[in-house]
Amino acid sequence: MRAVVCRRYGPPEDLVLDEVADPTPGPGELVVRVRAAAVNFPDVLLIAGKYQVQIPVPFTPGSELAGDVVAVGDGVALAPGDRVIGTTFVGAFAEQALLRAESVTLVPNGVDYATAAGFGVTYRTAYHALRSVAQVAQDDWVVILGAAGGVGLAAVDLAVAMKARVLAAASSPEKLDVCRRRGAEALVDYDREDLKQRIRDVTGGGAQVVLDPVGGRYSEPALRSLARGGRFITLGYAAGSIPAIPLNLVMLKGITLQGMEIRTFGTDHPDQADRDVRELQQMFVAGRIKPYIGARFPLSDTAAALRYVADRKAVGKVVIDVD
């Protein structure tokens, strides 16, 4: 089968498309014929050797996919031909992927492969952050940095579904227009406007929650915009730098500053994670939430897809079509 392979840590352009052996499932495993896979920012960090966990090379990147079951190991209830959504730390950017059975769910009726592939990682990240960590309530003002990115736009969708008031922050009018069409009540172009002042003006004095998957120079003004007792959730550093936060701001305003990482959330908080996944699946099946796919690439252009995400050009999800 064909697979994208990272042979040495580096930029997306160092990836190669190669022929590798077809996977074989063991007990509790299954093999999926990948029809679509979605790109996430951590994929860029993994191939560069800059993620929190390093994967020994060579490896095939990619963490979420949708496709058809082609083989199952002992103890797996699914059957060849079933349409499934799957998540994995690596391995999705290939014609076939080996997955654990517990990481797979059926694709809802009427949902195409690309939409299914784009649902998993970003929506779970955003919902855990909003529901379990920030504990967003109806009518809370929620500021979402990087609101047009994968996690950001998922957070916009979910916060709107939770009946919060969403202020979307992004870097261009085009990106903000997508956020508006997805339900954001207010917008701020943080490359051209005073982020802190805009948030205070819109919210009438301060937001209850800030979700930050971006980091860099945007974090501190967003933190300063919080109302007393507000919650600041740090999710990642797509801007390329990890900000230093003045802790006196946290003390003086009684702010809760908390991190959330999708890789460990389920282990650290299994009951909350299970509840969140059930609720997410219900919303997805009911059609209340649906990933926005901003760009699509063939498997042969996976490096270009990763570069697109690395350069912060992505709006919503970037999908790789494997057919």
Side-chain angles (χ1 to χ4, degrees), residues 7-286:
R7 299 200 180 281
R8 62 179 183 272
Y9 299 127
E13 291 75 17
D14 287 351
L15 296 171
V16 296
L17 183 62
D18 207 352
E19 288 287 335
V20 302
D22 291 352
T24 301
E29 296 177 334
L30 66 156
V31 175
V32 174
R33 168 65 170 99
V34 182
R35 301 296 182 181
V39 180
N40 294 289
F41 188 74
D43 299 327
V44 177
L45 299 179
L46 277 168
I47 64 172
K50 295 179 179 179
Y51 193 61
Q52 293 95 323
V53 176
Q54 284 198 342
I55 302 297
V57 294
F59 68 91
T60 292
S63 59
E64 58 182 339
L65 59 91
D68 308 309
V69 176
V70 294
V72 299
D74 292 341
V76 176
L78 294 166
D82 286 343
R83 300 172 71 240
V84 295
I85 305 168
T87 57
T88 176
F89 199 45
V90 293
F93 301 157
E95 290 182 326
Q96 295 185 31
L98 181 68
L99 302 171
R100 294 294 305 172
E102 61 268 21
S103 71
V104 170
T105 58
L106 291 171
V107 176
N109 291 334
V111 175
D112 62 86
Y113 290 114
T115 299
F119 171 67
V121 174
T122 54
Y123 276 82
R124 287 208 316 275
T125 300
Y127 198 56
H128 291 328
L130 291 166
R131 173 78 160 92
S132 292
V133 182
Q135 299 180 16
V136 168
Q138 183 173 336
D139 294 327
D140 276 352
W141 271 109
V142 178
V143 175
I144 301 168
L145 305 185
V151 170
L153 206 53
V156 170
D157 289 350
L158 290 166
V160 169
M162 296 167 74
K163 302 186 185 305
R165 306 180 72 181
V166 175
L167 195 163
S171 59
S172 74
E174 294 77 17
K175 290 181 177 180
L176 289 170
D177 185 60
V178 174
C179 296
R180 178 189 57 78
R181 287 188 275 119
R182 302 292 282 194
E185 182 175 340
L187 311 170
V188 55
D189 184 333
Y190 49 33
D191 281 353
R192 295 167 179 82
E193 300 178 74
D194 184 322
L195 178 61
K196 179 183 72 173
Q197 192 58 49
R198 174 66 172 157
I199 293 171
R200 286 182 172 175
D201 290 346
V202 167
T203 61
Q208 282 70 49
V209 175
V210 169
L211 239 60
D212 181 9
V214 180
R217 63 189 178 90
Y218 309 109
S219 299
E220 185 176 331
L223 180 74
R224 289 180 180 274
S225 77
L226 279 168
R228 184 164 187 81
R231 289 91 74 196
F232 186 102
I233 314 301
T234 177
L235 299 173
Y237 311 101
S241 61
I242 301 173
I245 296 296
L247 288 179
N248 63 308
L249 299 176
V250 177
M251 178 188 72
L252 292 172
K253 299 179 75 172
I255 290 168
T256 298
L257 177 59
Q258 193 165 347
M260 202 290 293
E261 185 194 16
I262 187 64
R263 184 177 59 88
T264 57
F265 185 81
T267 302
D268 294 341
H269 308 283
D271 292 342
Q272 290 174 312
D274 289 347
R275 177 204 62 197
D276 291 352
V277 169
R278 286 195 305 271
E279 292 176 356
L280 263 180
Q281 189 69 15
Q282 290 167 0
M283 285 189 280
F284 187 45
V285 170

